[in-house]
Amino acid sequence: MMPAEPGPRRPAPATPPNAKTVARLAWLVVAVAAVALVWLYVGRFAGELLAGILASVVLLGALLAAVGKGWQRRYVALVASQGWTYRADDDGARAARFAGTLAMGEGMGVRDVVTGTCEGVSFEAFHTRSNDARTDVPGMAVVAVRAPRSAPDLRIFEEEAPQTFKQDLGLGDLADINFESDAFSRRFFVQCRQRRFAYDVITPAMMEWLLQRNRNHGRWQWIGDWLIHYNLGAFTGDHLVTAVQETVAFLRLLPRIATEPPAAA
Amino acid sequence: MVATWVLVGSGLTALVALVTAMQYNRMVGLRNRIQESWSDVDTELRRRHDLVPNLVATVQGYATHEANVLGALTRARAAVAASAARTPQQAAAESALGSALDRVVAVAEGYPELKASANFLALQSELTLTEDRIQAARRFYNANVRDYRNQVRQFPGVLLAGLVGMRDDVACFEVASPQERQAPAVASLSGAP
């Protein structure tokens, strides 16, 4: 099942600035401006050079603010063009719900929350960032949909060299589950505490579909009542639409045996 | 000096014993996993067998001129019952049963009243789900067989397997019929366009 074509109106792709960098630069701007104002007030070194520096700093600050606002404006326009809803900040529910799942620690922050429906499936998408110094997980772009049933923790992601090395040494927390398709097993790591459930979900059709995806298209995790698709970083324009469509397509590809309660023997 | 060699020898012996024990336990674990996963396959196959009498009775009520097709289905079910578990004969018999079921469902296309029958629709739905379950259980069983075979054929398992009588003669449960390789689509069974 291929994802449906995105909506007709689509603004140009936008790239969000790194939130932490922007915050740090903003503080720097404030600090430099404060120092400059003190200098001016004291009047010892007041002159054209100082005025130029001050003007440059103020200009840089304004530029950074404009870039951030510009990205947000384009993102909101993209969301609106799809008939979805945007909120800059979370009400706290998502942080509480997904902090453990996404290994972001207690200080997970959620922003840029998008809610809506795609092909009749309700979803929520958002950006996360960690405020917890003990975790080194960077910000993530997440799409979450309600799963048809509660499930053990199933993870599907593309193989990465460090992960492969850890698995080869037997250091991984969960073993990689191999499937009959060599191409699939070479490219993807599948981990699940119930191996049989992984086989129920990942059918030959599902394997074929996942193999057709572009590399680094994101990770999948079905944990509890939620099916989650996530990437490191932030959504860049069309990527939001694609991620939502692919999450819905994943849901549609699930066979009945994976969506219904297990049959009694 | 002698004490050092004794220590080294003891250490090596303990290491070999540890690796041997781990290998043996892994082989036993994999073998048990094969047994467990086969019981899943067997359960689903039995579920499908149990659907046959109901399907025959339902179709007979509407399609009175399809005695050949229904007879073939009944004979296929009997052949499955007569075959020994986990043998190529059983796999062939199950394939034949799957094909016979496909033919009965195809025949139903020509009988609108039968297609609309609530009983038939329920049986179709159950049959589809059962085929999916058989496919998943069979793939899982075959994966376990593959893991076990790898364990007893690869080093260092191959050294131990012969000593403890772990043979790699466990066969995968393969289905000969191409139709059975893929579970029938819900739409094709339920008559949806």
Side-chain angles (χ1 to χ4, degrees):
Chain A
M1 180 175 162
M2 296 296 291
E5 286 298 315
R9 284 190 297 134
R10 189 182 303 160
T15 306
N18 184 311
K20 267 186 180 171
T21 309
V22 172
R24 282 173 188 156
L25 283 172
W27 278 113
L28 183 67
V29 167
V30 170
V32 170
V35 170
L37 283 172
V38 169
W39 268 357
L40 280 174
Y41 180 74
V42 173
R44 288 181 183 172
F45 304 102
E48 287 180 3
L49 180 64
L50 186 58
I53 291 172
L54 185 61
S56 302
V57 167
V58 171
L59 197 65
L60 182 65
L63 192 67
L64 284 172
V67 168
K69 284 282 180 194
W71 171 82
Q72 193 177 40
R73 198 171 53 247
R74 286 194 295 275
Y75 196 66
V76 171
L78 169 74
V79 168
S81 73
Q82 300 294 325
W84 301 335
T85 310
Y86 173 86
R87 274 180 56 175
D89 294 309
D90 182 32
D91 54 6
R94 285 160 198 87
R97 193 184 296 148
F98 296 114
T101 304
L102 298 171
M104 296 289 283
E106 292 172 1
M108 185 177 92
V110 172
R111 59 196 292 273
D112 302 320
V113 179
V114 177
T115 53
T117 58
C118 177
E119 298 175 34
V121 177
S122 296
F123 74 90
E124 43 194 68
F126 49 87
H127 290 142
T128 68
R129 69 170 186 279
S130 176
N131 298 324
D132 189 342
R134 290 168 297 179
T135 175
D136 57 355
V137 179
M140 288 192 275
V142 183
V143 176
V145 296
R146 279 266 180 203
R149 62 174 261 211
S150 187
D153 189 358
L154 169 69
R155 304 172 197 178
I156 306 168
F157 53 98
E158 289 187 58
E159 298 219 7
E160 297 155 358
Q163 191 74 22
T164 308
F165 188 62
K166 268 174 71 178
Q167 287 288 333
D168 288 346
L169 292 176
L171 299 175
D173 55 345
L174 278 174
D176 179 23
I177 301 173
N178 284 318
F179 288 79
E180 60 268 39
S181 163
D182 286 338
F184 181 83
S185 293
R186 267 198 307 272
R187 184 170 156 188
F188 290 96
F189 259 119
V190 177
Q191 296 177 318
C192 187
R193 296 200 184 281
Q194 290 180 19
R195 282 165 51 92
R196 173 60 199 272
F197 181 71
Y199 272 83
D200 285 350
V201 171
I202 303 174
T203 60
M206 179 70 87
M207 282 191 272
E208 193 179 333
W209 181 77
L210 285 167
L211 281 169
Q212 285 171 358
R213 303 299 93 205
N214 292 331
R215 284 201 173 268
N216 303 317
H217 76 282
R219 295 177 170 215
W220 303 94
Q221 190 166 5
W222 183 351
I223 181 166
D225 295 329
W226 292 91
L227 175 65
I228 299 167
H229 176 256
Y230 61 95
N231 268 312
L232 297 183
F235 288 122
T236 55
D238 290 352
H239 181 208
L240 168 68
V241 180
T242 307
V244 170
Q245 288 172 341
E246 294 205 336
T247 308
V248 172
F250 187 102
L251 201 64
R252 297 262 192 253
L253 269 174
L254 292 174
R256 271 174 71 192
I257 51 168
T259 60
E260 293 185 349
Chain B
M1 186 64 184
V2 174
T4 307
W5 282 111
V6 168
L7 273 176
V8 170
S10 303
L12 284 174
T13 307
L15 187 66
V16 169
L18 184 69
V19 170
T20 305
M22 285 170 66
Q23 287 289 321
Y24 180 75
N25 286 346
R26 178 155 169 74
M27 283 181 201
V28 171
L30 287 170
R31 191 135 196 154
N32 289 342
R33 204 191 281 167
I34 291 174
Q35 300 287 349
E36 288 165 17
S37 53
W38 174 256
S39 70
D40 283 352
V41 176
D42 197 41
T43 301
E44 300 308 336
L45 291 175
R46 281 177 196 281
R47 197 189 302 272
R48 183 167 72 171
H49 301 168
D50 294 344
L51 287 174
V52 171
N54 279 343
L55 186 66
V56 169
T58 305
V59 173
Q60 256 174 349
Y62 294 90
T64 50
H65 302 295
E66 303 294 347
N68 285 343
V69 177
L70 294 174
L73 178 59
T74 308
R75 283 193 298 279
R77 183 174 184 263
V80 166
S83 59
R86 282 202 275 178
T87 58
Q89 290 77 19
Q90 188 198 17
E94 291 290 353
S95 295
L97 179 62
S99 300
L101 281 165
D102 283 347
R103 279 197 295 278
V104 170
V105 172
V107 157
E109 293 291 321
Y111 296 88
E113 285 183 6
L114 172 60
K115 272 176 66 180
S117 149
N119 198 18
F120 184 71
L121 288 174
L123 279 168
Q124 278 184 323
S125 175
E126 185 62 28
L127 195 57
T128 309
L129 193 57
T130 305
E131 295 286 358
D132 282 352
R133 285 185 184 138
I134 290 171
Q135 188 198 40
R138 194 182 65 233
R139 288 175 57 234
F140 187 55
Y141 169 78
N142 288 344
N144 289 328
V145 169
R146 192 176 59 237
D147 288 349
Y148 173 75
R149 279 179 177 172
N150 288 342
Q151 184 70 23
V152 299
R153 286 177 183 174
Q154 289 175 353
F155 183 84
V158 67
L159 299 177
L160 182 66
L163 290 175
V164 296
M166 292 278 187
R167 293 178 300 181
D168 65 344
D169 57 350
V170 187
C172 288
F173 188 63
E174 300 292 355
V175 180
S177 163
Q179 289 89 346
E180 271 216 3
R181 286 190 186 279
Q182 198 170 9
V186 178
S188 71
L189 281 178
S190 62

